[in-house]
Amino acid sequence: MKAWQEIQLQALQTSDSEHKLFQTIAALGTELGFDYCAYGLRLALPLSNPKIVKKSNYPTAWQAQYQTKNYCAIDPTVKHALRSPQPILWTDGLFASTAAFWEEARSFGLRYGWAQSMRDVHGATGMLTLARSDEPLSETELAAKAFKMAWLAQNAHIALSRRLLPKLLPEADTKLSNREIAVLRWTADGKTSGEIASIMKITERTVNFHISNAATKLNAANKTSAAVKAAMLGFL
Amino acid sequence: MKAWQEIQLQALQTSDSEHKLFQTIAALGTELGFDYCAYGLRLALPLSNPKIVKKSNYPTAWQAQYQTKNYCAIDPTVKHALRSPQPILWTDGLFASTAAFWEEARSFGLRYGWAQSMRDVHGATGMLTLARSDEPLSETELAAKAFKMAWLAQNAHIALSRRLLPKLLPEADTKLSNREIAVLRWTADGKTSGEIASIMKITERTVNFHISNAATKLNAANKTSAAVKAAMLGFL
DNA sequence: CCAACAACTGTCAATATTGACAGCCTATAT
DNA sequence: ATATAGGCTGTCAATATTGACAGTTGTTGG
């Protein structure tokens, strides 16, 4: 499978559009024996309504169904992906409580599938799904392809999220000063401004000053939100 | 390389001790041509002094040096691992600003190395390092082994963190009620108790009641800490 | 039926926060 | 030398929070 090595370099290094990048990943999926490929990215923020982006070469009708019926919310593979980076197979057991959804997916040819997710420093979770209509996934096939699938899941996320994140999450490239970071760290650990003041040997007024500057930079309404955002985005 | 498949099953499924598990991972590293193997786990909390656990088969003297001189804080591979899941090679460029550290590592036989990190739902970052004394890592060797290394980094973290996390981070298995989660979500997004009250159509008093219960469960001093902990641990 | 639990509400006082005013000091880059 | 930025401090009033008191309702499971 020489093509892997070649496409690999392309996928990682060229700065293609997201679309081309996804095509490359899908092509690698095809080489692994999967007609269908899907990548989903779920940002960490805002927590009460996280942004989700999907890219796939699924049948258009199914993509539309999935979107309008908000299947994302019930899809057991998504639920698993958000809890664990362990790969998961599409099995009857997995879809036990979502039979209608599972039935419908299969009617579009999405019968045998595999998925793995990955979380990055910014709290974003990426999920790669590989699927096909034809042939069940045997243990031996999985064992043989496990390494490449793991690699592909990783690199799909690294490459795609690098391109998608900046647009979707502008806060991700905020620059916080050292002081702001220090103050937010203590804040996130539950210290009051007064406590932080004595820890850092500065005035309470100054602590609040830094917090408020950080909150402005992070587009946060108050210190709680600022601490959460900074922590989730990996600034602390 | 049939052994891979066999050990793979063992590594994932048997509930060995951490130590045995690490041995297994190190053995897989050896099969990939690396004498040395190290796994580091950095928890997300507490933010102001995150817990770190290390396991390695490095020379004991170097492990001691690394620990006492707190090299963790300056090690450029660690710095990279905390920012990106992309694999990284030990190169002169990488250690440009930490020459003494790099020199010392090499004096212990740690000359050629590779590392990759991975973050999970609980915010913990795991980092796998594979290294050796003898032979430089060529592009072609890396290309040939990339898949297995990616797989190993992933599975080392999945397996080891599953065993290490519960002990190190007791908050990780807190059970929050649905109401508590909802209230914390809004809190983390920067809403005040009053705002959450009108969003959820309950009294401000009730909002504070849920927040305070959640804070107790999470061992948090106040709502900011509760929101950060819940968010970092993936409860929201 | 009863226990246990989640959800919900009330009041009051002590603390903490935010927001808006205004200004000083130091290091770095132009 | 001057602009710029980070770090630092002050006061005051309006809001928000926390903590400690005491209680109702509805559901679930033994």
Side-chain angles (χ1 to χ4, degrees):
Chain A
M1 265 215 224
K2 195 176 134 209
W4 266 82
Q5 311 294 352
E6 288 162 19
I7 308 189
Q8 162 184 352
L9 290 173
Q10 228 184 320
L12 284 174
Q13 290 162 1
T14 64
S15 55
D16 280 334
S17 67
E18 298 140 38
H19 186 65
K20 279 205 160 183
L21 200 47
F22 177 76
Q23 299 293 354
T24 310
I25 292 160
L28 292 169
T30 306
E31 270 199 66
L32 280 172
F34 296 92
D35 306 324
Y36 295 118
C37 175
Y39 176 77
L41 181 67
R42 196 187 101 130
L43 303 194
L45 302 169
L47 284 155
S48 50
N49 181 27
K51 288 186 201 166
I52 297 178
V53 189
K54 298 189 270 288
K55 293 203 155 282
S56 79
N57 56 13
Y58 287 167
T60 320
W62 173 240
Q63 288 188 44
Q65 271 296 83
Y66 198 97
Q67 185 65 39
T68 58
K69 292 205 181 165
N70 193 29
Y71 278 150
C72 226
I74 62 156
D75 188 336
T77 68
V78 171
K79 202 168 287 179
H80 170 87
L82 291 173
R83 299 261 124 226
S84 163
Q86 188 121 36
I88 194 164
L89 267 182
W90 292 4
T91 60
D92 288 333
L94 179 66
F95 296 100
S97 57
T98 52
F101 164 72
W102 180 214
E103 203 50 61
E104 200 176 343
R106 283 199 292 192
S107 76
F108 283 99
L110 296 161
R111 304 182 63 82
Y112 309 107
W114 170 98
Q116 181 166 25
S117 72
M118 195 181 164
R119 185 173 258 220
D120 64 25
V121 224
H122 304 294
T125 305
M127 172 183 181
L128 182 75
T129 302
L130 297 172
R132 68 186 176 207
S133 317
D134 304 350
E135 210 179 335
L137 270 158
S138 71
E139 279 298 324
T140 51
E141 182 185 357
L142 275 177
K145 296 179 178 172
F147 307 128
K148 289 190 176 173
M149 287 160 90
W151 180 91
L152 185 57
Q154 253 176 42
N155 288 86
H157 180 62
I158 293 175
L160 277 171
S161 72
R162 180 164 50 196
R163 276 162 193 79
L164 294 171
L165 260 186
K167 291 185 212 166
L168 298 172
L169 200 63
E171 288 96 336
D173 44 43
T174 305
K175 292 278 174 219
L176 295 176
S177 74
N178 291 335
R179 270 332 216 188
E180 283 159 357
I181 290 172
V183 166
L184 278 185
R185 250 202 271 266
W186 290 115
T187 301
D189 275 340
K191 306 295 181 199
T192 66
S193 301
E195 288 166 335
I196 299 173
S198 44
I199 291 170
M200 294 180 65
K201 300 184 201 315
I202 54 180
T203 317
E204 188 175 335
R205 176 65 191 84
T206 305
V207 173
N208 288 328
F209 169 79
H210 289 309
I211 292 176
S212 127
N213 287 346
T216 306
K217 286 187 188 178
L218 290 165
N219 223 323
N222 56 33
K223 72 143 109 176
T224 299
S225 170
V228 170
K229 277 192 177 180
M232 291 299 277
L233 298 177
F235 295 139
L236 311 187
Chain B
M1 267 213 226
K2 195 177 132 208
W4 266 82
Q5 311 294 352
E6 288 162 19
I7 308 188
Q8 162 184 352
L9 290 172
Q10 228 184 321
L12 284 175
Q13 290 162 1
T14 65
S15 54
D16 280 333
S17 67
E18 297 140 40
H19 187 65
K20 277 204 161 183
L21 200 47
F22 177 75
Q23 298 294 353
T24 311
I25 292 160
L28 292 169
T30 307
E31 269 198 69
L32 280 172
F34 296 92
D35 306 324
Y36 295 118
C37 175
Y39 176 76
L41 181 67
R42 195 187 101 129
L43 304 194
L45 302 169
L47 283 155
S48 49
N49 181 28
K51 288 187 200 165
I52 297 178
V53 189
K54 298 189 269 288
K55 293 203 155 280
S56 80
N57 55 15
Y58 287 168
T60 321
W62 173 240
Q63 286 187 45
Q65 271 294 86
Y66 198 96
Q67 185 66 37
T68 59
K69 293 206 180 166
N70 193 28
Y71 278 151
C72 226
I74 61 156
D75 188 336
T77 68
V78 172
K79 202 166 287 178
H80 171 87
L82 292 173
R83 299 260 125 228
S84 161
Q86 187 121 34
I88 193 164
L89 266 182
W90 292 2
T91 61
D92 288 333
L94 180 64
F95 297 101
S97 57
T98 52
F101 163 73
W102 179 215
E103 203 50 60
E104 200 176 342
R106 284 198 291 192
S107 77
F108 284 99
L110 296 161
R111 303 182 63 85
Y112 309 107
W114 170 98
Q116 182 166 25
S117 72
M118 196 180 163
R119 184 171 259 221
D120 64 25
V121 223
H122 306 292
T125 306
M127 172 182 182
L128 182 74
T129 303
L130 297 172
R132 67 186 177 208
S133 317
D134 305 351
E135 211 180 333
L137 271 158
S138 70
E139 279 299 325
T140 51
E141 183 185 356
L142 275 178
K145 296 179 177 173
F147 307 127
K148 289 190 177 174
M149 287 160 91
W151 180 89
L152 185 57
Q154 251 175 42
N155 288 86
H157 180 62
I158 293 176
L160 277 171
S161 72
R162 179 163 53 193
R163 276 160 193 80
L164 294 171
L165 260 187
K167 292 184 211 166
L168 298 172
L169 199 62
E171 287 97 335
D173 45 43
T174 305
K175 291 279 174 218
L176 296 176
S177 74
N178 291 337
R179 268 333 217 188
E180 284 159 356
I181 290 172
V183 166
L184 278 186
R185 250 202 272 267
W186 289 116
T187 301
D189 275 341
K191 305 295 181 199
T192 66
S193 300
E195 287 166 335
I196 299 172
S198 44
I199 291 170
M200 295 179 64
K201 300 185 202 311
I202 55 181
T203 316
E204 187 175 337
R205 176 65 191 82
T206 305
V207 173
N208 288 327
F209 170 80
H210 289 308
I211 292 176
S212 127
N213 287 344
T216 306
K217 286 186 187 177
L218 289 166
N219 223 323
N222 56 34
K223 71 143 108 177
T224 298
S225 171
V228 169
K229 278 191 177 180
M232 290 300 276
L233 297 177
F235 295 138
L236 311 188

